[in-house]
Structures are given as structure tokens and as C-alpha cells.
């Protein structure tokens, strides 16, 4: 049976976030709790990816180990996630993917990591009339699939939820796919359908998922948030306590980007420059007096004044109280080496907006730690 949710990416994050939410909603039952199951699509062909797809396809579910503190209370729960009902590999199963997108799919979710939106010059308009040929880049894959949907099932509702950590990710992906459609000189009616019929959700995902379990599964913290910008005709994959519709997504984006993400990358910057232990974790860094003092100074002197100027200081300080507990989680082995991957790009996304907003607000902030990190050569 075809599944109503199509997901690009099989990362440990999606396993412990969107997929787990859908699984818990399905288990809760009740009218409208979840659209149904998920078809996951692996777009790479590494041996580890193949093992994950095979494990998903077995249909036995997979474990999510939720460990940590919540309001001072320890949580240690093992949950079997059963939302994933089908697993495909894009290169091997492209005809099945075309069939699925022209059928029961009502929601498309993606998390394609830092390089997921890069185009590939080998992808051309010829792919539209070559159903057996598989596009290389994710945007081209999505464009071909959406064109197939437009031809065969144009009136059915469709909402897209990119979960990449990119500002206004829904608008960004929509504009990228629409520009590619224009470059390929596809019909104007299709381009209009892309923008006017498809609902592209801007959202923010927030959960620390520190480890993968083999061959599939994840270890995650108790805290979880999926903040989604409210808009008309939006079809949610499920209802869940961690899903929040909001008219002020930018506020939640700033909380996470300026405090959690920038904090993580500050610790990674210190780890990279200081020749520290290869397996040092966030918890160990937080318990190092010098590292902790630097991070607290970054928050207090270089970030919180921005929230104060925006009239959001109380919200930011409340977020920080919970964030400290998350970073001091004694049960997660969240390695700084993992956070430091693609560090140069992450610094630009996480530090530069903080510095830029200080200038826009006319604040006289030196921001020495952020500026030094941005100036450092990686």
C-alpha cells in the first residue's frame, strides 16, 4: 500500500524527529492524528546507506533511545519507531518513486544535509522525457518528480517540508526548484502550479540526535521542537506535542541559530584551534571551566543584547535555561568532531547573521569571539 508521506533522507536526525513524531501519532490513534506511514528515499549509494535501506525495508521498526534531563528529571526511554513502511534507493527504485509521487503522497519531507541543494551540471531538461534516467542532484530529482505529479495528479493537495537548517527553507527550496524549471524552459502552467498549488513550508527543527545505532536507529535528547510557519492549505504529516504552528518563525529560528547552533560552533572552534582530545564531547567541554566561561561570555555579551533590543530578552533567557540543561546532558556522547564537520560553512550560517543583526539594530557590540572565528582560516 502506498504511503502518504515521502521522505528524502534517512539520517539519524529524521529517524528521531519527524519519523518518531509520526510513529507516536500513529500509535496514539484517533481521527487525524497522522496521515499514515512513510516511504523513505536514500539518495546516496554508500554501503552504510544500503544497510539502512535494507533495515528499513525489513519492516520491523527501529529503536530510538531518548536519554537526558527534562526539568531536572532523568529520562531514559527506548521507543520502537514503526512509521517507516517502505524504503527505496533513488537510483535503483526510480520508477517506483515516480509511481508513488503520482499516487497517495500528500506530504514530502527532506533533510539532505549541508550540500543537499547543490545542482549538478549533468542534470538537464532531457530528464523530463527520460523516465528511466535518474537525476543526480536533489533539486533536479524533486523537479522531475513534481513535474510527473503535475501531469498525473495536479489537483491533489501537496505540502513540502524541507528540514534543512537554512533560513526560510521552504521559500529557498521553492525558488531553487522554480528557477531550475525556468532554466529547463518547462511550461509556464507547471511553474505556476509549483508556486501556487504546492505548499512550501518554512520550518525549524530542534533536537540533538547524538549517535546512530546500527544498522538503523538513533540516540536523542528528550527535548524536541518542530516549529512550522502557519499558512493556508498546509497539510501536516501528523499532530504531535512537539509540532508547533507559529506566525513568528523568525523568533524561533534566532533562538536556535544564535544560542544553540552558534554555541555548538563556538565550542567546535575552540576544539579545532586548541588541539583538544579527538573524542571530546559537548558535556566535557561544558564542564571545562575555561570553555564554559567563553561560551557564557559569548551568550551574555555578544548574543543576548540582540534579543534585548528586539524585546525578546526574556524568551531568550528562558531558552538558555533549558539549553544549558540540554548541553549538560550526562547521557549523550555528542562529539565536537561531529559538530565541527563543514565548520567553515556552519560558521558563516551561524555567526555572520548575529554580527549582521547587531549592525542592523545599531548596537555598539565588539563581538570579539564571533568576529575572530569568522576571520580565522579553516
Amino acid at each position: 500500500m502506498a504511503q502518504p508521506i515521502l521522505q528524502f533522507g534517512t539520517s539519524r536526525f529524521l529517524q528521531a524527529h519527524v519519523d518518531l513524531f509520526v510513529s507516536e501519532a500513529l500509535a496514539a490513534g484517533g481521527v487525524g492524528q497522522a496521515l499514515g506511514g512513510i516511504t523513505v528515499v536514500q539518495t546516496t549509494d554508500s554501503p552504510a546507506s544500503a544497510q539502512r535501506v535494507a533495515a528499513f525495508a525489513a519492516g520491523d521498526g527501529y529503536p530510538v533511545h531518548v536519554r537526558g534531563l527534562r526539568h531536572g528529571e532523568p529520562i531514559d526511554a527506548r521507543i520502537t519507531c514503526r512509521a517507516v513502511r517502505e524504503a527505496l534507493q533513488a537510483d535503483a527504485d526510480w520508477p517506483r518513486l515516480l509511481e508513488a509521487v503520482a499516487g497517495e503522497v500528500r506530504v514530502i519531507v527532506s533533510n539532505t544535509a549541508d550540500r543537499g541543494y547543490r545542482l549538478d551540471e549533468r542534470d538537464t531538461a532531457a530528464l523530463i522525457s527520460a523516465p528511466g534516467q535518474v537525476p543526480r542532484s536533489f533539486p533536479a530529482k524533486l523537479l522531475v518528480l513534481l513535474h510527473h505529479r503535475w501531469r498525473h495528479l495536479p489537483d491533489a493537495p501537496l505540502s513540502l517540508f524541507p528540514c534543512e537548517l537554512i533560513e526560510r527553507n521552504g521559500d529557498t527550496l521553492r525558488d531553487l526548484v522554480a528557477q531550475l524549471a525556468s532554466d529547463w524552459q518547462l511550461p509556464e502552467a507547471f511553474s505556476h502550479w509549483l508556486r501556487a498549488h504546492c505548499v512550501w513550508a518554512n520550518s525549524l527543527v530542534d533536537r540533538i540526535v547524538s549517535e546512530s545505532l546500527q544498522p538503523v536507529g538513533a540516540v536523542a535528547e528528550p527535548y524536541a521542537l518542530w516549529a512550522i510557519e502557519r499558512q493556508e492549505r498546509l497539510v501536516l504529516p501528523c499532530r504531535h506535542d512537539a509540532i508547533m504552528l507559529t506566525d513568528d518563525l523568525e523568533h524561533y529560528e534566532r533562538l536556535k541559530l544564535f544560542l544553540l547552533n552558534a554555541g555548538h560552533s563556538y565550542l567546535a572552534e575552540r576544539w579545532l584551534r586548541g588541539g583538544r582530545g579527538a573524542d571530546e564531547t559537548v558535556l566535557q567541554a561544558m564542564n571545562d571551566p575555561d570553555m564554559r566561561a567563553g561560551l557564557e561570555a559569548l551568550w551574555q555579551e555578544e548574543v543576548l543584547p540582540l534579543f534585548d533590543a528586539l524585546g525578546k530578552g526574556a524568551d531568550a533567557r528562558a531558552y538558555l535555561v533549558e539549553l544549558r540543561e540540554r548541553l549538560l546532558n550526562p547521557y549523550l556522547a555528542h562529539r565536537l568532531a561531529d559538530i565541527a564537520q563543514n565548520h567553515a560553512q556552519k560558521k558563516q550560517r551561524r555567526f555572520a547573521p548575529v554580527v549582521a543583526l547587531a549592525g542592523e539594530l545599531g548596537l555598539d557590540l565588539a563581538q570579539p569571539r564571533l568576529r575572530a572565528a569568522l576571520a580565522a582560516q579553516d
Side-chain angles (χ1 to χ4, degrees):
M1 182 177 177
Q3 307 304 320
I5 304 169
L6 182 65
Q7 174 181 301
F8 286 90
T10 62
S11 68
R12 71 192 190 208
F13 177 81
L14 286 176
Q15 292 172 41
H17 195 266
V18 177
D19 300 345
L20 185 58
F21 297 169
V22 173
S23 180
E24 290 175 332
L26 288 169
V31 177
Q33 288 299 309
L35 289 180
I38 300 171
T39 296
V40 298
V41 183
Q42 179 59 254
T43 57
T44 61
D45 55 3
S46 68
S49 300
Q51 289 178 354
R52 276 201 300 273
V53 169
F56 280 128
D60 298 326
Y62 62 84
V64 176
H65 193 180
V66 178
R67 306 188 75 197
L69 301 174
R70 197 72 193 267
H71 308 305
E73 295 296 323
I75 293 175
D76 190 344
R78 293 182 181 271
I79 307 167
T80 300
C81 181
R82 301 189 184 278
V84 176
R85 308 284 174 79
E86 184 179 23
L88 305 177
Q89 207 287 328
D91 287 344
D93 300 309
W94 189 248
R96 171 69 190 109
L97 198 48
L98 288 167
E99 177 188 345
V101 84
E104 297 300 317
V105 172
R106 296 295 178 267
V107 162
I108 296 177
V109 175
S110 71
N111 192 350
T112 56
D114 295 304
R115 301 182 182 184
Y117 288 6
R118 290 187 183 179
L119 301 178
D120 190 311
E121 61 184 11
R122 293 172 291 179
D123 293 329
T124 69
L127 290 164
I128 294 293
S129 54
Q133 210 169 335
V134 184
R136 306 316 307 161
S137 72
F138 169 65
K141 285 183 174 71
L142 188 56
L143 176 58
V144 172
L145 291 170
L146 290 176
H147 186 270
H148 189 72
R149 169 83 167 211
W150 172 69
R151 289 181 56 204
H152 294 279
L153 197 68
D155 297 329
L158 183 65
S159 294
L160 297 97
F161 293 86
C163 295
E164 291 81 8
L165 295 176
I166 296 170
E167 185 179 0
R168 301 202 64 79
N169 42 23
D171 293 349
T172 300
L173 184 58
R174 178 200 63 205
D175 293 346
L176 179 60
V177 173
Q179 182 59 53
L180 194 57
S182 176
D183 294 343
W184 288 6
Q185 299 182 338
L186 298 181
E188 182 59 34
F190 168 64
S191 293
H192 177 76
W193 178 87
L194 271 180
R195 290 187 174 275
H197 177 79
C198 299
V199 179
W200 303 79
N202 295 305
S203 72
L204 170 81
V205 295
D206 191 355
R207 183 172 225 174
I208 297 170
V209 183
S210 61
E211 298 173 74
S212 296
L213 301 177
Q214 300 303 323
V216 65
V219 180
E221 66 172 338
Y223 180 94
L225 172 69
W226 192 5
I228 301 170
E229 187 173 62
R230 197 188 315 273
Q231 58 178 304
E232 294 181 0
R233 300 185 297 108
L234 185 71
V235 178
L236 294 173
C238 66
R239 295 180 181 177
H240 193 278
D241 289 344
I243 295 178
M244 181 183 62
L245 291 174
T246 178
D247 296 316
D248 189 8
L249 183 65
E250 185 177 44
H251 173 55
Y252 294 95
E253 289 176 334
R254 283 174 173 161
L255 286 174
K256 181 172 186 284
L257 183 67
F258 291 9
L259 296 171
L260 171 59
N261 294 141
H264 269 162
S265 285
Y266 170 78
L267 295 177
E269 176 79 4
R270 292 283 304 272
W271 178 80
L272 284 166
R273 305 296 169 206
R276 302 173 69 90
D279 292 325
E280 185 174 15
T281 66
V282 171
L283 175 63
Q284 290 169 335
M286 288 292 288
N287 284 316
D288 179 293
D290 183 57
M291 290 279 272
R292 177 69 178 271
L295 178 59
E296 292 288 349
L298 176 84
W299 286 333
Q300 298 296 330
E301 300 168 12
E302 304 189 30
V303 179
L304 284 178
L306 278 69
F307 287 101
D308 290 334
L310 293 166
K312 302 285 189 178
D315 287 349
R317 286 172 175 82
Y319 182 85
L320 262 183
V321 169
E322 196 160 27
L323 177 56
R324 290 188 184 97
E325 184 176 61
R326 296 168 65 189
L327 298 185
L328 287 165
N329 188 334
Y331 305 112
L332 295 189
H334 196 190
R335 297 169 65 245
L336 293 175
D338 292 337
I339 296 171
Q341 292 180 13
N342 301 306
H343 184 60
Q345 296 93 328
K346 287 178 179 176
K347 284 197 300 183
Q348 289 300 319
R349 288 204 307 268
R350 298 173 176 187
F351 295 167
V354 186
V355 174
L357 182 59
E360 292 169 19
L361 294 172
L363 299 179
D364 185 19
L365 293 179
Q367 296 180 304
R369 298 165 189 83
L370 292 174
R371 292 179 182 277
L374 286 169
Q377 297 297 315
D378 293 301

